[in-house]
Amino acid sequence: KRNYEKIILSIVLLGLVGVAGFLPVLIGSDQDTMKNFVYMLTNPRVVQLPDLDTSNQDAVISRIKSTNTLDLSTTNRLFNPVIWQKNKEGGLIKVVSGNEVGGGAVVVSKITPLYFEVTLLAVITNEATPTYQISVENQASDVPAKRRAQSHYISLEEKTGGLQLKNVKGPATNPTELDIHLTDSGQNITVAPGTSYRRVDGYVVDLKYPPENLTFNGQRVGAQLNFAGDQYNIIAIDENDVILLAQSNQKKFVRPYAP
């Protein structure tokens, strides 16, 4: 009993020594815990985000790229209403494309070529120097009188009617070929008995204007036509097309020939 207090004091001291010995371990554990906590806060675990859903935005961009053009002129005619015109009979013509009346409505019904032709008709041998009768036909001439065949009498090196005989091949009284120089164009041609030299020098055209039931036959370049309240000049003709020029606005109309 006398040592009872000593025993209790020794147990307490031993406990204190044990606690003091355990404190470094406990402090180290707490420090590790704090370090881990700080690390988790400063270096959190990053989870990959899912892909963004941009389907709505993509649809909007697609609609912007494929915008529709609002046609208010050719079909709806909001700002350019359809024109209705009266013909000579009082009927109405609906002008939609612009080619229902005027130069665009002209129809080419026929195109005929105009020839320049040179032919050896005869050899006159009752003179000292043979003379050659040559026919010249210029259907495209601006002078109507020259459009018919005209005969010219010419000898070697002579000039007449726009012709100059440059050379005679074969016997002079029975030539095989005549070399002729065309003084107007500067062209050299060859004419043989029984054959002709012929080239296309222009065209004549037959036209129709259905809205007014008009027909213009035998028209040449430079002809003036009056229809649809305007004057149209033929400024060119070839084997496939006719070009008209409106005097009111100088607009050209190319009308094809589809035989």
Side-chain angles (χ1 to χ4, degrees), residues 154 157-160 162-166 179-181 183:
I154 189 172
E157 294 299 336
E158 284 187 351
K159 294 182 180 179
T160 183
L163 307 175
Q164 182 181 12
L165 182 57
K166 301 292 292 184
D179 293 335
I180 299 174
H181 176 72
T183 57

Side-chain angles (χ1 to χ4, degrees), residues 21-167:
F22 184 70
L23 282 176
V25 177
L26 182 61
I27 292 172
S29 176
D30 288 341
Q31 289 178 344
D32 292 338
T33 302
M34 292 300 296
K35 288 181 180 179
N36 290 334
F37 182 72
V38 172
Y39 179 80
M40 290 177 64
L41 291 177
T42 56
N43 299 279
R45 181 182 178 187
V46 179
V47 179
Q48 185 177 1
L49 296 176
D51 295 336
L52 292 177
D53 183 9
T54 61
S55 57
N56 292 333
Q57 291 79 5
D58 293 339
V60 171
I61 294 175
S62 177
R63 288 198 301 270
I64 293 175
K65 290 182 178 180
S66 60
T67 54
N68 294 324
T69 301
L70 186 58
D71 184 4
L72 299 177
S73 60
T74 59
T75 55
N76 297 295
R77 299 283 180 175
L78 180 60
F79 300 108
N80 298 288
V82 172
I83 299 174
W84 293 84
Q85 292 187 2
K86 279 188 176 182
N87 55 24
K88 287 186 175 181
E89 289 76 19
L92 293 176
I93 301 174
K94 183 179 180 181
V95 182
V96 178
S97 65
N99 291 325
E100 291 81 4
V101 294
V106 173
V107 177
V108 181
S109 56
K110 185 179 181 182
I111 293 180
T112 305
L114 299 174
Y115 295 102
F116 175 81
E117 188 171 4
V118 179
T119 306
L120 174 60
L121 298 180
V123 180
I124 301 174
T125 60
N126 56 359
E127 299 178 2
T129 302
T131 301
Y132 304 94
Q133 182 183 4
I134 298 176
S135 170
V136 178
E137 183 178 2
N138 186 5
Q139 298 175 352
S141 176
D142 295 332
V143 181
K146 294 183 179 181
R147 295 172 186 172
R148 299 185 299 272
Q150 296 181 347
S151 294
H152 301 279
Y153 297 88
I154 189 172
S155 299
L156 187 62
E157 294 299 336
E158 284 187 351
K159 294 182 180 179
T160 183
L163 307 175
Q164 182 181 12
L165 182 57
K166 301 292 292 184
N167 186 33

Side-chain angles (χ1 to χ4, degrees), residues 103 106-111 114 142 202-208 215-227 230-239 241-247 250-255:
V106 173
V107 177
V108 181
S109 56
K110 185 179 181 182
I111 293 180
L114 299 174
D142 295 332
Y203 296 90
V204 64
V205 62
D206 295 345
L207 302 174
K208 293 182 180 179
T215 301
F216 306 95
N217 293 331
Q219 302 300 313
R220 297 169 179 250
V221 172
Q224 296 180 354
L225 312 177
N226 293 294
F227 55 88
D230 200 352
Q231 177 179 302
Y232 295 83
N233 290 356
I234 300 177
I235 60 175
I237 307 174
D238 62 25
E239 59 183 356
D241 301 293
V242 177
I243 302 179
L244 303 174
L245 177 67
Q247 293 301 306
Q250 297 299 299
K251 183 178 180 181
K252 294 181 180 179
F253 297 88
V254 180
R255 305 308 301 148

